Each structure stands twice: as C-alpha cells, then as structure tokens.
Amino acid sequence: MDNLRCVNSERNSWLFDAEHVWTSTTMDQIEVEESVQDIYDAFQEKLLSEPAEGDLQRIPEELLLKRKALESFLMKGSTNLPGSYCCLDASRPWLCYWIVHSLELLGIEVPASLGSRMVKFLGKCQSETGGFGGGPMQLPHLAPTYAAISTLCIIGTEEAYAVIDRHKLYNFLLQMHQSDGSFIMHEGGEIDIRGCYLAADVARLVNIVSEELFENTAQWIVRCQTYEGGFGGVPGMEAHGGYAFCGVAALTLLGHERLCDVDALLRWTVNRQMQFEGGFQGRTNKLVDSCYSFWQSAIIPVISSMTEYNTPKSLFHSGALQEYLLLCCQHPYGGFIDKPDKHRDYYHTCYSLSGLSISQNFTGSSATKPHIIGKSDNLVIPVHPVYNLGIKSAIRATDYFQKLPSVKT
C-alpha cells in the first residue's frame, strides 16, 4: 500500500496556499481540504495499525467499493424515492438513467420486470411530436430525451429499442436545431453547448445523423472554446467541466474533434485535478466535486484516441482519483456524495462510478490490465467515454440501429 498517494509523506506540501488572501473562495477551499485531510489521516493511521497477512498488508475496508450497500441503495431508488426527490419530477428519465447506469457499471443486470416497467414508463414520456419529456405529458426536452434513450439502450431489449420513434425523434431534433448550428433545449428554451452534445449523442446512437441536422454545429461548438482551453456553455462564457465534455464529445460524435485546440483543452483539463484531494473541480478556482470525476476525466481518453496523444501512461493521476472517490465520497450505507459532509444522491453516484471506470480502464496505451486501487473486486465495467454507457451497451445499441432503414427526411 506504499504506492497510495493519500499516504505520501509529502502530502501536506500539496495543500492550497492562500497567500494571505482571505476570501470566501479561499476559506471554502481550506475547509474542504481540512475535511479531506482528516479522512486521509484516519486512513493512514488505520493502515499502519492493520496486521499484515503474511507478506501482504491488509486493505482497510474504507478503500473497498461498497457493492452490496450500493446495490441496495440503487434498487430501493428504482421503486421508492423519498419526498425530497419531488423537485426532480421533471427529471424522472434522469433518475432512471442514473440508477440503471450505476447498476450496469457494477455488473448487475437490471431485473427483467424492473426493466420492462421502466420501458413502459419511458414510453409514456415520449411526446407525440418526438423526443421525451421529464415525465408523462411533459414538454419534450433534449436532456430527458438523452436520459430516456440512454436508459433504453442500457436495458437493451427489443421492447426497449422499439419504444424509440426515430422518425419523430429526427423531426424533434431538427426543430431544436438553429441556423447558426446551435440547439435549443426545448421549444422556446435556452441555447447552450449541452444541446449539441445531447442531440449528437442520441442521433448517433439510433443512426439518424444527417448533414441537415448538424449543419454549422461543429463550427458553433468551436466558438465556445475559451482562452483557458475548456469550453463554456455559449461563446464568451467561462470554461466549465460539463460543458467541456459536451463540446469535445459532440465534436467527436460529428467527426470534427480536431477543429478545437486540443493542446489547450488537454492542458486545461489535467489542471482541473486537485493536487491535494485527488478529485476534479469543474472550473478554475472552484471546489472538488465527485461528479467531475467523469465530466473531466472522460475528456482524457477522448483526446487520447487521437494518435498523437495516445501516450503509454495515463494523462491524469488515476490512482489519486480512485482514492478520493473511495475514501472521501462513499456513503456508509451505499451511494456516493459530492465531497465530505454532503448528502448522497443518485446523480453523484452515477458519475462517481463512471469516473471510477475511466480511472481504472483507461490508463494509457501500455496498460495490459486495469489499474485498480484496493482489491480487484473494486473493478467496475468499462464505460464508453463519449456515450457514458457501458461499452457493451453502446456497441449493442449502435449495431441494432445500424441495421434499420434510414430515416426519411
């Protein structure tokens, strides 16, 4: 266990230096680091006190993925949510996706009865004009459209695929497409880079991509790249991890990933990994957050897929990310949290597991096996870094829809 970064003797030298500039931002950063430091100190003390098993040091339970507790948390949420989730009534397909994708990454097959119920429910969320709303009878919106179609592709049955009306979906996406290449999120809604990714993702999954549908889109996305190297929500906005992922992933789906400044994006992304905590922040000068374990780290294998960036070793510290997720973000009763002292939820659980998968399974071209911190049972299913589906689910879905006739435009 000597290779663990969180017990490195130089760890405290990586703490944030406020340089005597005391603002709410610097104070928040120090407070978060102190809470993480307490966890790492307690872990180190326990590690030193654990008796060895022969020549091997026992791995403390804090460094193990709590699979049984996670499964219980996820299965409970699939049928019964607390009242605090009422605020997500317009995001019900997202709840389906966060839960089903988390189960998928744990290697747990969705029970047939649960999968069928979800399929029927998502069918009720599909609008007569195409696309999916956040619930039955709700306005079709690109975000729940992505969540619904992703969930159906994970379930992966004929019943699930048959729900998706590709012709109406195409017309819905075309209505969301704007002349400058951007997409509105819903009729009369806002424009931002998320729409480009969500539209490109579902269109590529179900095989309805056309020149008409994405005219000028790649060029509009590139305009969102900032002087820092990341992408903002619209041209002129601050670079942000979620938007940066959406930007480069959408460009990749459209076959135009080299239009952006890849060097600048790579530099900005790797510098979002927090030196002390090991997790990622979403923006410059912001706090660590477990959801960016995916949004930021997934950018790395997307960039690495380009020949000149395909390096023998990982371009970020995958071990430090795993340590942060396993030690600081696991809830004792299952699920993941944003950072210490926060509440667990299905959103952070999903993207923490997705980030864990990236950090284990995409560790450079010279890697012959996954890089696993803790025991081998911590290994989760490889995730597709562009679709954020299990790789098998993504391949199965694209193969299925490639065999269908093209959509008439």
Side-chain angles (χ1 to χ4, degrees), residues 95-112:
L95 288 163
C96 293
Y97 168 68
W98 296 332
I99 290 171
V100 167
H101 182 45
S102 296
L103 289 170
E104 172 187 38
L105 292 175
L106 293 171
I108 300 169
E109 187 173 347
V110 177

Side-chain angles (χ1 to χ4, degrees), residues 74-93:
L74 294 166
M75 293 304 296
K76 182 178 180 181
S78 68
T79 57
N80 186 20
L81 290 168
S84 59
Y85 278 85
C86 286
C87 62
L88 294 178
D89 181 64
S91 300
R92 291 164 73 182

Side-chain angles (χ1 to χ4, degrees), residues 4-14 44:
L4 291 176
R5 189 174 183 274
C6 66
V7 298
N8 189 297
S9 59
E10 299 180 0
R11 170 161 54 92
N12 288 346
S13 68
W14 303 329
Q44 184 172 22

